[in-house]
Amino acid sequence: MERDQCHPLLREGRRETKYSHGFSSSELEALTGMCEAFIPPLPLNNSPEIVGKDGKTKEAIQSFYKSSGAQYPNPDEVAELVVKRGFLEAVILVRILLIILSTRLGTLLLCGALCFGKNWPYINKFSDIPVEDREKVIQKWLKHRFLTPIRLSFVLIKFLCLYAFFTQVWEDLKNPAWEAMDYQVDNRKDSSTTPHEKPLMKGMVETTHETESTIVSSLVQKGLRVAEDPKEKLYKIKCDVVIVGSGCGGGVAAAVLAKSGQKVVVIEKGNYFTKTDYSSLEGPSMNELYESGGILATLDGKMLMLAGSTVGGGSAVNWSACLKTPMSVLQEWAKDCQIPLFTSSQYISAMDTVSQRIGVTEKCSEEGFQNQILRQGCEKLGLGVESVPRNSSENHYCGSCNYGCRTGDKKGTDSTWLVDAVACGAVIITGCKADKFVLEKNKYGRSRKSKCLGVIAKCLNGDITNRICIEAKGTISACGSLLTPPLMISSGLTNQHIGRNLHLHPVLMAWGYFPESDSVLKGKIYEGGIITSVHKVGSDDSSVRALIESPALGPGSFAALRPWESGLETKKRILKYARTAHLFSMIRDRGSGEVRAEGRISYTFDATDRENITAGLRQALMILVAAGAVEVGTLQSNGQKFKCKGTSERELEEFLDEVTAAEGPKSLVQNWTTYFSAHQMGSCRMGQSEKVSAVDENGESWEAEDLFVCDASVLPGAAGVNPMITIQSTAFCLSNKIAEILKERKFSD
């Protein structure tokens, strides 16, 4: 890949700016010692892992074994990630840990006898302890059951160290370890001969390219009325509808309302990229396309979450699965939650309309490695396996759509609904983050105490100091289940259900190693469609307990998420990356969480959730074994695994009996695990009254007239399947209703 073939924000190389982490030299010294212990330089030997097919040691693998986490500039990168991506409490804990380990007395306290040098009773600082002894210290603390704040600090550094090491790229856009891992970046691109187009540019204002002197003229050129208020330091824009967010909800709402004749403005804090901009490089892509750079966890570190943060939102980076809302879920929402919409002909029709607009196809002409394994394992066990519809062509063979689709085959809102909106006169302002909704006391005597007049936002480009005030007849929050509640709360809304009832579709992963020489299945885990097959784990009453699907895992995510047992074990596992398939167990959760401030997320499991996710995890392991894995395991912290060759069914059953949904790293247990979520729903759920919901069945706030929510947060609960179709169909119905409401109020006022 040439450097000029992708967007500058989606590539790396030599750092152009200084580090801003603020760590002292002594803290960095301790951090460097820790990074070296997590990824130590190792002596070469004649083990099979480092011998090529020709019997000679491969140069790339030799280099990988010699490499170290202390090599420049990884420790600085780790420090930068700690400060930028960690909670304030986590940053404080990490820095306290490093300060302690930078002193001899502190090292004695945390490392015990391992800190004594040859000249007894001389005490070494942590960075001066031999690397093999530093490993032992880390092994002890990762298992420690009681001083969990210290353990959490080690866990965070471990994650960020491995992630940074395997995602860093140099001027050639390559990482030195990738050749040893048998990893290649997806270099495919659109095969069409048509000139590169950016279909949204007709209505796009990218604030990252603007200054204080150009922003007004750029907005005016797009047909907006702009007035400057020097006293308040505001640019005031008038329109009919302003939408915060451009993902599955906001994109659909923008198209529907613009088509209805409303002048629509969409603000999006992320940037705009198209197929030729994407690099498929894990590090910069995650940093630019995901909320918090793809490193976003619950406050206790138990759950890691992925949420899109770019034009198109999650639809630009998701895994393409297009499953319609199950009828049992629709009936539950209609009956138990008393929302008739979900069993109406309007909603059923909306699912068909959405599927048609985003180009959903039912089949897959060629499956990738992981989905082949899922299908073959299910067939050998006599289990049902279904094809997953996708919003792409049937021959779409892209394993890196989670970094943006380089072929343009996947149809997110950025290439469908938003294109429709712009064609009808909508304007999209990127790099623009909503601060608060503008509320005033309702003067019209209606039931809601406040009236929303629009939104105030700030440009993330530091060259533009004035904020933007967008005045509108209707305001829609569509920034997702993790950001809509904090925005509403910071605007002064007090409904008790805002930010609560958050559902996450928790996920646990299983892995299986398939040596190429021992398997008829060809390919690598990063090749082919990400999700093309699904197995539904049923219970005695035939209800679905869990879905088993395959994930996308780049080298950095793979290395960071794996249990760390030792430096040697880690490097051996990393070398098996390309043929280590993963399957995950995903549940429709009964438990729920809370997000009332940005980035401050908590979550509690229901007992049934743990039973269901465990059943799915065990089933995933059985599928991997049946498909021919020579070794399988989970991501539990003790490196839980099982060698399949030469073992009996009884031994496998005994292993599976030990597989459970463990607690998170903050809990007082020795062996812990990490859960994942790519689907966040329900944090501003709709309902029949403000006693049970945050918004009404039209998506309108119970407290503020003309303020609507139109994203996954309005769902009454977890959808139970990949929710893209559910979110877009709900948004389609709500935005049509919003268009009617705004027209009625226009005439009544």
Side-chain angles (χ1 to χ4, degrees):
M1 184 193 308
E2 299 294 333
R3 286 185 60 83
D4 60 356
Q5 287 183 330
C6 55
H7 195 283
L9 291 173
L10 298 179
R11 64 184 182 223
E12 282 182 350
R14 188 176 302 277
R15 172 177 278 270
E16 301 295 336
T17 58
K18 293 182 179 180
Y19 290 104
S20 58
H21 51 68
F23 281 37
S24 67
S25 58
S26 59
E27 289 173 86
L28 274 178
E29 184 180 46
L31 180 60
T32 301
M34 206 175 295
C35 291
E36 185 180 37
F38 280 122
I39 310 173
L42 297 170
L44 298 173
N45 54 45
N46 293 322
S47 64
E49 290 84 2
I50 63 167
V51 178
K53 293 179 180 179
D54 58 357
K56 295 181 180 179
T57 305
K58 295 180 181 178
E59 183 179 344
I61 299 177
Q62 284 183 323
S63 176
F64 176 59
Y65 263 70
K66 293 177 183 177
S67 65
S68 160
Q71 291 174 323
Y72 177 84
N74 192 49
D76 273 304
E77 292 291 343
V78 174
E80 199 82 354
L81 284 172
V82 168
V83 171
K84 288 187 175 180
R85 303 303 181 201
F87 303 120
L88 175 61
E89 301 94 318
V91 176
I92 293 171
L93 282 174
V94 166
R95 297 196 69 169
I96 289 174
L97 174 65
L98 295 177
I99 290 170
I100 291 172
L101 291 177
S102 67
T103 67
R104 291 184 173 83
L105 183 60
T107 303
L108 174 63
L109 182 66
L110 294 186
C111 304
L114 291 172
C115 70
F116 291 117
K118 294 180 180 179
N119 300 321
W120 172 269
Y122 184 80
I123 300 173
N124 286 308
K125 293 184 296 184
F126 180 78
S127 58
D128 295 329
I129 298 174
V131 67
E132 59 270 18
D133 288 337
R134 275 179 266 150
E135 274 195 5
K136 293 175 184 177
V137 172
I138 292 173
Q139 288 166 343
K140 179 190 79 170
W141 281 106
L142 289 179
K143 295 177 183 177
H144 207 290
R145 297 175 57 186
F146 301 112
L147 295 176
T148 53
I150 296 178
R151 179 166 77 179
L152 281 169
S153 300
F154 277 102
V155 169
L156 179 60
I157 294 172
K158 168 257 180 184
F159 180 93
L160 296 179
C161 170
L162 289 161
Y163 181 82
F165 186 87
F166 290 99
T167 57
Q168 288 180 151
V169 293
W170 310 116
E171 295 297 327
D172 60 357
L173 300 186
K174 293 181 180 179
N175 180 292
W178 287 351
E179 185 178 351
M181 300 173 74
D182 198 12
Y183 173 70
Q184 292 183 337
V185 173
D186 182 3
N187 286 323
R188 295 173 312 114
K189 52 187 177 183
D190 186 13
S191 58
S192 68
T193 56
T194 57
H196 171 47
E197 295 181 359
K198 291 196 169 188
L200 300 179
M201 289 309 294
K202 176 184 174 184
M204 181 74 67
V205 177
E206 298 178 280
T207 63
T208 54
H209 302 321
E210 303 291 342
T211 65
E212 205 83 72
S213 61
T214 65
I215 182 67
V216 172
S217 61
S218 294
L219 292 168
V220 170
Q221 286 174 12
K222 300 303 180 183
L224 297 176
R225 291 177 293 166
V226 186
E228 185 173 358
D229 184 340
K231 184 178 180 181
E232 297 293 331
K233 294 186 176 180
L234 291 175
Y235 297 123
K236 291 186 176 181
I237 299 171
K238 289 185 181 293
C239 64
D240 295 321
V241 178
V242 59
I243 301 173
V244 182
S246 63
C248 288
V252 172
V256 171
L257 288 159
K259 284 181 179 180
S260 75
Q262 307 285 345
K263 181 61 178 180
V264 173
V265 174
V266 179
I267 62 172
E268 166 61 55
K269 73 172 183 174
N271 292 307
Y272 176 46
F273 304 105
T274 59
K275 56 190 177 184
T276 56
D277 292 323
Y278 295 124
S279 67
S280 292
L281 294 169
E282 182 181 12
S285 297
M286 294 291 285
N287 185 63
E288 190 64 36
L289 303 177
Y290 286 84
E291 186 66 30
S292 194
I295 304 173
L296 177 63
T298 51
L299 290 169
D300 59 4
K302 175 171 55 185
M303 186 92 65
L304 283 172
M305 284 159 288
L306 292 176
S309 183
T310 182
V311 172
S315 73
V317 294
N318 68 10
W319 300 348
S320 304
C322 293
L323 297 168
K324 290 184 176 180
T325 322
M327 186 54 65
S328 60
V329 174
L330 293 176
Q331 290 171 346
E332 176 189 315
W333 289 350
K335 182 180 178 181
D336 296 347
C337 302
Q338 298 182 330
I339 307 174
L341 167 68
F342 290 106
T343 50
S344 68
S345 58
Q346 179 189 3
Y347 184 85
I348 304 303
S349 174
M351 288 197 288
D352 292 333
T353 300
V354 164
S355 297
Q356 182 178 4
R357 182 62 189 97
I358 63 176
V360 175
T361 56
E362 298 290 331
K363 299 177 182 178
C364 175
S365 59
E366 181 184 6
E367 289 196 301
F369 179 54
Q370 295 190 128
N371 284 277
Q372 290 179 53
I373 287 169
L374 174 56
R375 189 173 293 275
Q376 180 168 299
C378 287
E379 289 173 351
K380 287 191 174 182
L381 292 172
L383 302 173
V385 59
E386 301 174 17
S387 295
V388 174
R390 300 178 295 161
N391 57 327
S392 61
S393 65
E394 293 184 355
N395 62 359
H396 185 49
Y397 194 75
C398 176
S400 61
C401 272
N402 54 315
Y403 308 135
C405 184
R406 288 175 59 84
T407 66
D409 197 341
K410 186 179 74 171
K411 304 301 181 186
T413 62
D414 53 317
S415 59
T416 54
W417 297 105
L418 289 172
V419 175
D420 298 343
V422 167
C424 294
V427 176
I428 304 169
I429 307 174
T430 66
C432 188
K433 187 177 186 297
D435 269 349
K436 65 178 181 178
F437 297 119
V438 180
L439 305 178
E440 71 171 13
K441 187 175 181 181
N442 200 336
K443 297 178 288 188
Y444 293 95
R446 298 189 179 117
S447 59
R448 290 167 169 83
K449 63 181 181 181
S450 299
K451 182 176 176 64
C452 185
L453 304 180
V455 64
I456 293 179
K458 64 181 177 183
C459 296
L460 300 180
N461 176 359
D463 291 335
I464 302 174
T465 56
N466 281 9
R467 293 187 298 169
I468 297 177
C469 177
I470 304 174
E471 300 173 356
K473 301 166 187 173
T475 302
I476 298 176
S477 183
C479 44
S481 289
L482 301 182
L483 293 177
T484 282
L487 180 57
M488 295 180 78
I489 291 170
S490 65
S491 302
L493 300 182
T494 59
N495 179 287
Q496 62 178 328
H497 297 287
I498 297 175
R500 296 195 169 98
N501 313 299
L502 174 67
H503 293 276
L504 297 177
H505 279 175
V507 160
L508 280 180
M509 278 197 281
W511 58 266
Y513 177 52
F514 294 79
E516 198 159 11
S517 58
D518 294 356
S519 176
V520 296
L521 297 169
K522 302 303 178 184
K524 310 289 192 296
I525 69 167
Y526 52 85
E527 296 174 340
I530 300 169
I531 296 178
T532 58
S533 295
V534 59
H535 167 63
K536 298 175 181 177
V537 181
S539 61
D540 294 338
D541 61 0
S542 298
S543 64
V544 176
R545 301 185 67 187
L547 296 184
I548 297 179
E549 298 172 333
S550 60
L553 279 179
S557 300
F558 174 87
L561 296 174
R562 288 202 65 83
W564 187 90
E565 298 173 74
S566 70
L568 176 60
E569 174 66 16
T570 293
K571 289 197 170 181
K572 285 182 176 181
R573 291 289 173 193
I574 294 297
L575 291 178
K576 298 176 181 179
Y577 161 76
R579 297 284 294 181
T580 302
H582 288 73
L583 300 177
F584 63 78
S585 166
M586 182 183 81
I587 60 168
R588 182 183 183 223
D589 47 330
R590 300 185 185 185
S592 64
E594 181 176 315
V595 53
R596 297 181 63 80
E598 191 169 331
R600 311 286 294 181
I601 307 159
S602 59
Y603 185 82
T604 303
F605 276 97
D606 180 272
T608 304
D609 292 342
R610 291 193 182 278
E611 294 173 4
N612 288 339
I613 203 168
T614 298
L617 186 61
R618 291 173 179 172
Q619 190 83 297
L621 288 162
M622 291 174 63
I623 291 169
L624 290 164
V625 173
V630 299
E631 188 177 19
V632 297
T634 70
L635 298 187
Q636 192 167 286
S637 62
N638 62 339
Q640 188 178 49
K641 52 186 173 288
F642 177 79
K643 292 188 180 295
C644 307
K645 282 194 172 183
T647 54
S648 65
E649 286 189 19
R650 180 180 176 182
E651 289 173 304
L652 175 59
E653 289 175 3
E654 289 174 352
F655 168 72
L656 293 174
D657 287 341
E658 296 174 356
V659 173
T660 61
E663 298 285 348
K666 191 178 180 182
S667 57
L668 302 178
V669 295
Q670 180 172 316
N671 299 321
W672 46 271
T673 196
T674 301
Y675 295 80
F676 311 93
S677 166
H679 309 150
Q680 300 90 34
M681 303 150 283
S683 55
C684 281
R685 68 182 181 190
M686 64 171 76
Q688 285 296 310
S689 77
E690 58 187 321
K691 294 180 179 179
V692 297
S693 61
V695 298
D696 68 16
E697 58 187 327
N698 298 321
E700 189 170 16
S701 164
W702 290 112
E703 300 171 83
E705 184 178 308
D706 296 334
L707 174 59
F708 302 86
V709 178
C710 202
D711 57 27
S713 62
V714 302
L715 299 181
V721 295
N722 304 66
M724 178 160 61
I725 297 295
T726 301
I727 300 167
Q728 293 196 20
S729 301
T730 303
F732 186 82
C733 295
L734 291 182
S735 51
N736 273 292
K737 185 64 177 176
I738 292 168
E740 294 176 11
I741 291 172
L742 293 178
K743 286 181 180 179
E744 290 173 2
R745 290 181 182 168
K746 178 181 179 181
F747 291 118
S748 65
D749 292 343

